[in-house]
Amino acid sequence: MPRFGDDVWNLGVAGFAGNRYASEFLIDFKSLDHPVRREAAREFLFWRLNTRPGRGPLPSISTVAAEWWNLRCFFRFLDTEHGGLRLDAVTQPVLDAYLAHCRSEGLLASSVRHRLQVISRLHLAAQNVVTDALVINPWNGRPLTRVIGVEPTRKHENETPRIPPNVIGPLVQAALFYVRTAAKDILNARTELTELEASTEGIRGLSLNRLEHYLQSLADDGRGVPVVDEVGRQVHLAGAPAYTYIMRKSGAGRGVAGGVYDERIDRALELLGPEPGGMDTPISPHPQTGLPWRDRFSPAAVPHEERLLRTSCYILIAYLSGMRDSEVKELRDGCHFTERSADAVVVRHKVRSQLVKGGRGTTESWVVIEPVAEAIDVLQQLPHRDALFCRPVTRDRYSTVSANRMNENLNKFRAHCTRIGFPVPDVDGEPWNLTTRQFRRTVAWHIAHRPYGTVAGMIQYKHLSVAMFEGYAGTSASGFRAEVTAEEALARLADVVERYEDFKAGVRSSAPGGTRTDNEFARVQQELHDFPGRVVDERRLHAMLKTSAHTLHIGTLKPSRQRDGCGA
């Protein structure tokens, strides 16, 4: 654990989410030039780590690490725009200038709020920051939403957008295709590439005979000469002979030899024609066309396809388990296991991970369905250490995929879906921007509204509802049950609002209990004066109808739950 006087605090040792880079939890006080700034920052962050805001819990490590960044931004503004002004000399006009400065950077309202929030907390910590305290009460204590000029978000309202059905459908189908069909080819290509890299270590000098023998073998097998494909690092060379790969594959040399070697390769290309990629791994047929789903692999295409495969595994796990991004990123070797039900009839797939939010790193289990188990099995065969989600980098071969990088990978996969036969349509004329948070929100909404068969019949949400919501998957601490319950409440409210609009149009209910419902609607209409030609407050209308939503369930009453296959 870091000590108070250390120049660098590594907060990551206190436990950080697997979807964040370790560097995000390093606090380097040496990055602040002035010693007064360093000591003030040290005292403030110590106060944040050890002080509960009101009756709430201590702030998370991620929150404190983010505040370090926002604190540095404020200090940088004071140093560059106000000549290194001390905190105890800051005035309200200086804070107003900082607000204008944040807006000039084009930040979102939420980002501006975070920038200003650290200033408010500096004032709260004034008695504990003895080196240089912020004496002035920022904006006289006004709520930051009013200072910024945005509408406050209603409590418990989930603003994460749901992925539209016409987007999630082909996206899940493409992910299933990658896990069930393409994964075998990609893993075989990785094995071939690893063996090739190992074989090149023993190559010494040049051998024209080996090159001739390799080119003759291509002709005998009816294959073309390997050329650089569009996945190559030098895209402008696409279609040119893959000189380095040919020399290594044939054992003729470890790199481009030039001269007679290049001339011999060029002459073979004229005779045999090109073959994009050139690796030997066979390509499986696409289930829709019966044709190979891609050209042969090239060395550069292997890590590219591995990245797409890892992203497809993420889609299936995040969407079909209800786990948070941080919990998915904490999956490690051996996380998947099976258990039989009490009657030994049903075999349930389970995964074990770290419950990060609210759980403070506790281990929990989720019950999942078979596609999730298949995705985990594929991940365990991809290059990794203990964490299943990682990415190769130059200095550190294995590195966790951060949330921002995964968002980038998700949108690249969405764009790639068209190339493999699962086009994802645009929404309102624009490609849908996928984020990691959207999957949990979307599956909670689908389970609450039960639109069965949305994903082309390949995944049935009724099955997910039984596995994920009715007591089998996730824990109460994971919060997924609460999210589904909240979505169900919104669905009921939407039904009641629609029924109320019908009532205003003159439609009366003939069902048992309909008179009581109509009387309740009449009371609401009279109290709000909701009559033609008058505009009522929508929020107030919804608030009044919420009471009815708790007891009124509009729809067809099924005679028995056993017809759903759920048991009595």
Side-chain angles (χ1 to χ4, degrees):
M1 295 291 290
R3 297 180 179 274
F4 178 83
D6 293 346
D7 288 332
V8 178
W9 290 0
N10 179 15
L11 299 185
V13 298
F16 60 88
N19 60 343
R20 304 286 292 274
Y21 290 125
S23 59
E24 297 180 44
F25 297 87
L26 290 177
I27 297 179
D28 186 2
F29 294 106
K30 299 191 304 294
S31 61
L32 299 176
D33 295 332
H34 202 282
V36 173
R37 292 269 195 256
R38 296 178 201 165
E39 196 62 23
R42 198 190 313 271
E43 293 170 351
F44 170 72
L45 294 179
F46 181 83
W47 175 81
R48 284 292 287 147
L49 286 168
N50 294 278
T51 305
R52 299 177 183 274
R55 297 182 179 180
L58 288 172
S60 68
I61 298 298
S62 299
T63 298
V64 176
E67 288 190 353
W68 160 244
W69 166 258
N70 292 322
L71 181 65
R72 289 177 61 193
C73 292
F74 182 52
F75 282 163
R76 188 183 305 116
F77 171 79
L78 295 180
D79 292 339
T80 57
E81 302 295 330
H82 294 274
L85 187 69
R86 288 173 55 96
L87 289 177
D88 54 16
V90 169
T91 61
Q92 187 56 56
V94 173
L95 298 181
D96 293 336
Y98 183 61
L99 172 59
H101 171 77
C102 294
R103 285 173 170 166
S104 67
E105 293 184 352
L107 300 175
L108 297 175
S110 58
S111 298
V112 174
R113 184 172 179 272
H114 289 148
R115 291 279 185 93
L116 302 186
Q117 206 166 40
V118 73
I119 300 177
S120 299
R121 287 171 179 159
L122 275 171
H123 173 69
L124 292 176
Q127 293 183 350
N128 301 86
V129 183
V130 297
T131 302
D132 183 19
L134 183 66
V135 180
I136 183 177
N137 187 3
W139 292 279
N140 201 26
R142 291 172 57 203
L144 293 179
T145 52
R146 294 185 181 180
V147 173
I148 301 171
V150 296
E151 287 290 331
T153 304
R154 285 185 289 173
K155 191 176 181 181
H156 304 308
E157 181 181 1
N158 192 338
E159 293 187 327
T160 303
R162 299 187 302 267
I163 305 174
N166 62 336
V167 172
I168 193 64
L171 191 71
V172 171
Q173 292 181 47
L176 285 168
F177 164 78
Y178 253 84
V179 168
R180 292 176 171 173
T181 301
K184 178 183 65 175
D185 299 345
I186 297 171
L187 294 172
N188 289 338
R190 167 53 64 183
T191 301
E192 179 187 348
L193 183 59
T194 302
E195 293 174 352
L196 175 63
E197 292 172 347
S199 67
T200 58
E201 295 179 0
I203 297 177
R204 297 292 184 271
L206 299 173
S207 174
L208 187 58
N209 288 336
R210 290 183 178 180
L211 176 62
E212 293 282 3
H213 183 269
Y214 172 72
L215 296 176
Q216 184 59 45
S217 67
L218 293 178
D220 295 342
D221 295 339
R223 295 176 57 180
V225 174
V227 297
V228 178
D229 59 12
E230 57 186 14
V231 187
R233 293 183 177 87
Q234 295 175 306
V235 181
H236 65 282
L237 295 179
Y243 295 109
T244 300
Y245 172 74
I246 293 173
M247 294 293 288
R248 292 183 175 182
K249 181 67 176 176
S250 64
R254 301 185 65 174
V256 178
V260 65
Y261 292 87
D262 287 3
E263 292 176 3
R264 183 64 187 90
I265 294 172
D266 293 341
R267 189 161 62 250
L269 178 61
E270 295 177 1
L271 294 174
L272 305 180
E275 181 182 86
M279 291 178 61
D280 295 335
T281 299
I283 308 301
S284 301
H286 196 295
Q288 294 180 352
T289 64
L291 301 174
W293 65 273
R294 61 158 291 139
D295 293 329
R296 289 181 180 270
F297 289 92
S298 68
V302 176
H304 172 75
E305 289 290 352
E306 285 178 337
R307 193 155 45 247
L308 292 171
L309 177 58
R310 190 172 280 113
T311 304
S312 67
C313 293
Y314 180 91
I315 291 171
L316 294 181
I317 296 172
Y319 183 60
L320 301 178
S321 71
M323 300 171 71
R324 293 184 179 90
D325 174 70
S326 57
E327 294 156 358
V328 174
K329 299 290 180 55
E330 288 290 340
L331 293 174
R332 300 176 183 273
D333 279 319
C335 63
H336 169 244
F337 60 100
T338 58
E339 286 183 355
R340 287 193 174 272
S341 57
D343 54 10
V345 174
V346 179
V347 176
R348 296 197 180 103
H349 295 277
K350 291 189 174 183
V351 293
R352 187 182 295 109
S353 183
Q354 294 290 317
L355 185 63
V356 177
K357 185 174 182 179
R360 298 291 174 181
T362 58
T363 301
E364 296 290 353
S365 297
W366 284 257
V367 172
V368 296
I369 58 178
E370 188 174 358
V372 177
E374 295 176 31
I376 292 175
D377 180 62
V378 168
L379 283 171
Q380 292 181 134
Q381 299 178 64
L382 287 170
H384 69 283
R385 288 190 300 192
D386 52 348
L388 297 183
F389 284 97
C390 55
R391 67 181 182 92
V393 294
T394 303
R395 296 183 179 178
D396 181 9
R397 188 178 179 187
Y398 300 100
S399 178
T400 304
V401 181
S402 70
N404 290 337
R405 179 56 62 89
M406 183 55 74
N407 290 341
E408 178 184 336
N409 291 345
L410 288 171
N411 287 289
K412 287 182 177 178
F413 185 84
R414 184 215 64 229
H416 180 71
C417 287
T418 301
R419 298 188 57 187
I420 57 175
F422 304 96
V424 178
D426 293 345
V427 178
D428 297 330
E430 297 289 338
W432 182 263
N433 183 42
L434 291 167
T435 65
T436 56
R437 291 187 174 188
Q438 294 173 4
F439 292 100
R440 179 179 167 102
R441 172 80 200 283
T442 303
V443 73
W445 183 89
H446 275 111
I447 290 176
H449 292 73
R450 306 288 179 94
Y452 303 142
T454 300
V455 188
M458 303 182 76
I459 298 296
Q460 192 177 29
Y461 288 108
K462 186 171 165 184
H463 185 183
L464 282 176
S465 175
V466 173
M468 298 168 63
F469 181 58
E470 296 182 2
Y472 298 141
T475 61
S476 58
S478 75
F480 185 72
R481 177 185 292 271
E483 289 197 23
V484 175
T485 303
E487 292 292 347
E488 287 181 335
L490 291 175
R492 288 196 301 269
L493 178 60
D495 289 337
V496 171
V497 171
E498 183 178 356
R499 177 67 182 84
Y500 174 75
E501 295 296 331
D502 291 341
F503 171 83
K504 290 199 305 178
V507 179
R508 297 296 182 265
S509 174
S510 59
T515 302
R516 182 176 63 84
T517 302
D518 291 343
N519 291 339
E520 175 66 16
F521 287 161
R523 182 190 67 79
V524 172
Q525 184 182 32
Q526 186 67 35
E527 185 169 340
L528 292 177
H529 300 286
D530 189 7
F531 299 105
R534 183 179 177 85
V535 179
V536 300
D537 187 348
E538 183 178 345
R539 290 189 178 183
R540 189 181 176 195
L541 171 63
H542 287 186
M544 296 186 68
L545 291 176
K546 268 188 179 180
T547 303
S548 301
H550 286 300
T551 56
L552 177 61
H553 298 268
I554 299 174
T556 304
L557 178 64
K558 297 180 181 180
S560 173
R561 291 187 66 197
Q562 291 187 357
R563 295 181 61 183
D564 286 342
C566 298

